[in-house]
Amino acid sequence: MHLFSGFQFRDWLLANDPALSRLRMASRVTLTIVFSFLVLLAIQMFIVPLPTAAFGLGIVLSIEGGVAVRDKGNARQLVTRLFGCVASLGVVAIAAGLEDRRFLSDLVFLVVIALASAGRVFGPRGFAIGMFAFTSYFMGSYFRPSLAELPAVAIGPVVSVLVGHLVRAVLLPDDWRRDLLRSLESVRGRINQILFKLATLAGGAEIGEADRQELRQLEDRLKEVVLMAETFIPRPAGGVFDAAADPAAELAIRLFDAHLAAESAIVLSFQSPPPFALVHAVIEADAAELAPYGVTAEAIKDEPQGETVRALLWLGEARQQLTQAIGEGQASGFAGIDAVKDTAQPERIDFSFANPLLRSALQITLASALAMGFGLLLSRDRWFWAVLAAFLVFTNTNSRGDTAMKALSRSLGTVFGIAIGLLLATLISGEPDIAIPVATVCIFLAFYFLQVSYATMTFFISIVLCLVYGMTGVLTLDLLQLRIGETVIGAVAGTAVAFLVFPARTRGALDAALARWFQALDELLSAIGEGKSGFALIALSQKIDACYRDVTVAARPLGSSWSVVTRPGQIRQTLAIFLSCTYWARILAKSYAAPADADELKRLIASDLALMKDAAPRGSTCFFIERKASRTTGRHLPLSREGARLGLEMIGSALERLYPQADVLPFAPGEVIARSKQG
């Protein structure tokens, strides 16, 4: 029973955290904080007294080391950490030297913010060093160490850097083979979820809208983990495999087939729910049971459910192939696949304001200046919280809508976190044996949910701060109200600057993402026109998939209920059209192989390119088009035949639905209906 529960828990983790990357990051941050604190405590007890700033810097840089350091390879990560440590010590020394000149110190803080933000143009290393510098000046100004204390203060950053590298390189190292195996297991798990859902719908007359929506969500979750798994498969420098005999190429094909088969099973089940016997046999992975149930490919050739059954049979075979690959990976650790060295050349850096990173740096600096000014009006000692909020709301955002959402998330997370934290701190007041483990768990949960929900991360961090204030005896209601006020000031300052200074409109970001998607589709169609096939087409279809993900991220603020744009219906409809087109692009890439009717395909390619030429310049306008109700034809897609031709036709159909003509009744969003085929 316990063994079964353990397997269930692991399956749950993999289903919600593919490759266990979130678990590993949260564990790294938590262990680095705990070990750094214990080392610093031992140094204080047995070697030399340490100022509070040493502990503060050690803990904060432990967090930055686990989150901000994103270089590939342990050697590069160590170099980045060492540079970050030097930057940390330098800015802390400046903050200490300017302690008696508070006005000048505040201005220098803005200079540090500007340089730290602009450093992002240098890539992951510049981003990490900038975060080390910003948080270190923040802590130096907050704790105000004297110049005489600097040697002891320096112990904090040094310990956090060394411990952080030890945790990441030795205790919880990166291993692409392990991550690949776990991500493949997650793919299989999400395919199983789709099969289980289809089993509950099997044999019915029609699938309802609620069930369709659930299947689409399962399809999105599958796409997410497939894209992750693809990043772990080593690829040659050009990104395209040379031969199917390559073990990495074979694995890539198995993953591609499993993804496409699962999507096809969903698409075709919308038109005709599959027989329960078949779904059950596929779940049990028992091909021998298919014939007795009367669901072989030959038996259902001419039946209405024929195409649905074929898709399920294809999914069953692809799932078995994926399971076989997982078994081989568990046995040999993908020994036949060699890691590919990073040979990418650094791109030339644009130091003009045409570079969005430099525009963002100016925004961050101005927002921090505003937050500093209004924060000082509220408190001379705690205004740093306002600057921190203004700085962080711009991290990993692409538009003013993204920034506003993040500002709101930080404010809400802070308010609710402080409310719960105050309650916990009051209940366990004077009980550090309880408070410390609770704070440790909250730190872990904060960074486990960081990639899922910024508000949740802020919620748990606010609880930790309440517990720390309680243990140090400074917890008061006025202090917590001040923190909420400063956080709101920073969030409002960040949002205001995002909307007024170099505003990156949400639709502008969406236009850019759509341009990349159309360009990727154009490359696929052009490659087919040039006679390319095989892995070259599959790689291009995967690029379309990645671009579709960017489109969904860019469109997310438009669908928010609080947004100025309150038309989520059209947003979902249009995303469904792009999803449909992306799916058929994969069908096309898999099916195309120098057909006999090449002239007909060239005509279809030319037609699709013409539709793209008309739609692409309009950008995100398609997200605000009113579309009429659906009218289905009842046809079943002949997916088993003429996949290339059908793929081209369906891509054209999807593109037409972006801007339907007034005299044409468009198809329903999310429905994939074949057009009448002539010739």
Side-chain angles (χ1 to χ4, degrees):
M1 181 66 177
H2 293 294
L3 182 62
F4 179 72
S5 298
F7 280 125
Q8 277 189 322
F9 179 70
R10 186 173 184 274
D11 289 342
W12 178 86
L13 276 179
L14 285 173
N16 292 276
D17 181 16
L20 302 183
S21 55
R22 287 163 45 203
L23 176 66
R24 189 160 58 252
M25 186 187 75
S27 300
R28 284 171 176 166
V29 172
T30 306
L31 289 176
T32 302
I33 291 174
V34 171
F35 290 158
S36 295
F37 179 80
L38 292 177
V39 170
L40 292 173
L41 187 62
I43 292 174
Q44 173 161 291
M45 294 177 61
F46 301 109
I47 301 178
V48 61
L50 296 177
T52 305
F55 286 90
L57 281 168
I59 292 173
V60 170
L61 296 188
S62 294
I63 295 174
E64 295 300 343
V67 175
V69 177
R70 303 171 183 174
D71 301 82
K72 294 182 179 180
N74 292 332
R76 292 185 182 183
Q77 291 170 7
L78 179 59
V79 171
T80 297
R81 291 175 190 276
L82 292 176
F83 276 126
C85 184
V86 171
S88 171
L89 297 178
V91 298
V92 170
I94 294 173
L98 296 177
E99 175 54 35
D100 295 332
R101 303 175 182 178
R102 295 302 302 167
F103 179 75
L104 182 58
S105 177
D106 296 345
L107 292 180
V108 171
F109 192 11
L110 291 178
V111 174
V112 170
I113 290 172
L115 293 176
S117 304
R120 297 175 182 180
V121 301
F122 294 100
R125 178 166 292 170
F127 173 82
I129 295 173
M131 293 301 296
F132 271 68
F134 167 77
T135 52
S136 295
Y137 200 98
F138 174 92
M139 299 302 290
S141 298
Y142 188 83
F143 287 108
R144 303 178 184 179
S146 65
L147 289 173
E149 292 178 321
L150 284 182
V153 170
I155 295 175
V158 172
V159 167
S160 72
V161 164
L162 296 178
V163 170
H165 185 69
L166 177 67
V167 169
R168 184 158 187 169
V170 179
L171 295 183
L172 294 171
D174 291 315
D175 184 346
W176 69 266
R177 298 177 189 275
R178 175 201 59 205
D179 292 340
L180 175 57
L181 178 61
R182 287 174 175 170
S183 62
L184 292 178
E185 291 175 340
S186 295
V187 171
R188 182 176 61 182
R190 295 194 176 182
I191 288 175
N192 289 341
Q193 290 178 341
I194 292 172
L195 287 170
F196 292 148
K197 180 60 182 178
L198 289 177
T200 65
L201 304 174
E206 186 178 352
I207 296 179
E209 183 56 36
D211 292 322
R212 288 174 181 241
Q213 185 63 29
E214 184 177 349
L215 282 170
R216 293 189 191 106
Q217 291 174 351
L218 291 174
E219 182 181 349
D220 287 341
R221 287 168 58 82
L222 175 63
K223 182 187 299 293
E224 168 193 317
V225 71
V226 166
L227 289 171
M228 174 181 286
E230 288 172 350
T231 64
F232 294 127
I233 301 177
R235 293 178 178 271
V240 179
F241 297 109
D242 294 328
D246 184 347
E250 183 181 353
L251 181 58
I253 286 294
R254 291 186 183 186
L255 182 62
F256 184 85
D257 276 351
H259 182 198
L260 193 52
E263 283 190 311
S264 299
I266 291 175
V267 166
L268 293 166
S269 294
F270 284 169
Q271 298 181 57
S272 177
F276 176 80
L278 174 61
V279 180
H280 176 75
V282 171
I283 291 174
E284 296 297 325
D286 190 352
E289 293 295 325
L290 297 178
Y293 283 123
V295 291
T296 61
E298 293 76 10
I300 46 77
K301 182 170 56 177
D302 299 320
E303 294 185 8
Q305 290 181 318
E307 291 300 327
T308 305
V309 170
R310 287 189 181 91
L312 262 296
L313 292 173
W314 178 20
L315 177 56
E317 180 181 356
R319 179 168 167 266
Q320 287 180 326
Q321 291 290 324
L322 185 63
T323 299
Q324 181 181 349
I326 292 172
E328 293 170 355
Q330 291 172 336
S332 64
F334 302 107
I337 302 178
D338 296 324
V340 176
K341 295 183 179 180
D342 186 6
T343 57
Q345 297 296 321
E347 297 181 2
R348 185 177 179 180
I349 299 174
D350 181 5
F351 288 102
S352 71
F353 279 116
N355 188 334
L357 292 175
L358 287 180
R359 294 200 300 270
S360 177
L362 178 60
Q363 289 178 313
I364 292 172
T365 305
L366 291 176
S368 299
L370 279 176
M372 181 183 294
F374 285 99
L376 282 168
L377 295 177
L378 196 60
S379 170
R380 173 69 248 189
D381 297 324
R382 306 289 181 176
W383 59 270
F384 304 103
W385 288 332
V387 175
L388 181 66
F391 185 93
L392 292 180
V393 295
F394 284 94
T395 304
N396 296 327
T397 57
N398 299 313
S399 67
R400 62 188 186 184
D402 267 350
T403 304
M405 289 177 65
K406 194 162 189 178
L408 181 63
S409 296
R410 185 171 185 86
S411 300
L412 292 176
T414 299
V415 170
F416 287 104
I418 284 178
I420 301 299
L422 179 61
L423 177 62
L424 285 176
T426 302
L427 291 175
I428 58 180
S429 176
E431 299 289 344
D433 293 342
I434 300 176
I436 291 176
V438 171
T440 303
V441 171
C442 287
I443 290 172
F444 173 84
L445 292 175
F447 292 98
Y448 182 79
F449 288 105
L450 173 60
Q451 297 174 342
V452 177
S453 169
Y454 187 69
T456 303
M457 187 277 288
T458 307
F459 170 80
F460 284 112
I461 289 295
S462 298
I463 292 177
V464 172
L465 289 176
C466 288
L467 294 174
V468 171
Y469 292 151
M471 287 186 285
T472 55
V474 298
L475 180 66
T476 64
L477 187 59
D478 289 340
L479 179 64
L480 298 181
Q481 290 176 338
L482 183 60
R483 174 163 177 84
I484 292 175
E486 296 284 0
T487 298
V488 171
I489 286 174
V492 171
T495 303
V497 169
F499 274 79
L500 298 176
V501 181
F502 289 132
R505 297 171 58 247
T506 300
R507 288 191 62 177
L510 182 55
D511 286 338
L514 288 172
R516 293 191 296 271
W517 185 90
F518 278 114
Q519 177 62 31
L521 181 58
D522 181 87
E523 291 175 3
L524 174 64
L525 295 177
S526 299
I528 293 175
E530 295 168 2
K532 295 182 180 179
S533 60
F535 285 115
L537 299 185
I538 289 177
L540 290 172
S541 73
Q542 290 171 331
K543 182 178 179 181
I544 297 173
D545 229 5
C547 290
Y548 169 76
R549 178 177 56 180
D550 294 340
V551 169
T552 62
V553 172
R556 183 173 52 197
L558 296 178
S560 300
S561 58
W562 60 272
S563 173
V564 175
V565 179
T566 56
R567 287 179 283 184
Q570 284 93 316
I571 304 302
R572 286 194 296 267
Q573 289 176 9
T574 310
L575 284 176
I577 293 174
F578 281 104
L579 175 62
S580 169
C581 197
T582 301
Y583 163 73
W584 288 108
R586 284 197 298 278
I587 289 285
L588 174 61
K590 176 181 173 59
S591 305
Y592 182 80
D597 55 344
D599 291 339
E600 174 66 12
L601 292 189
K602 287 181 180 179
R603 184 190 65 78
L604 290 171
I605 290 173
S607 175
D608 289 352
L609 289 173
L611 289 169
M612 284 179 52
K613 185 177 180 180
D614 176 67
R618 305 192 196 184
S620 58
T621 305
C622 59
F623 278 84
F624 306 96
I625 297 292
E626 291 283 354
R627 295 182 177 89
K628 299 178 182 179
S630 66
R631 181 177 65 191
T632 62
T633 63
R635 291 189 56 198
H636 297 267
L637 301 179
L639 192 62
S640 56
R641 303 185 301 276
E642 301 178 351
R645 180 177 177 178
L646 180 60
L648 287 169
E649 289 186 340
M650 293 308 300
I651 289 172
S653 176
L655 293 173
E656 286 177 347
R657 286 158 55 200
L658 289 176
Y659 296 99
Q661 299 297 319
D663 58 341
V664 176
L665 186 62
F667 296 112
E671 294 288 345
V672 185
I673 307 297
R675 296 184 297 169
S676 298
K677 302 200 297 182
Q678 303 295 329

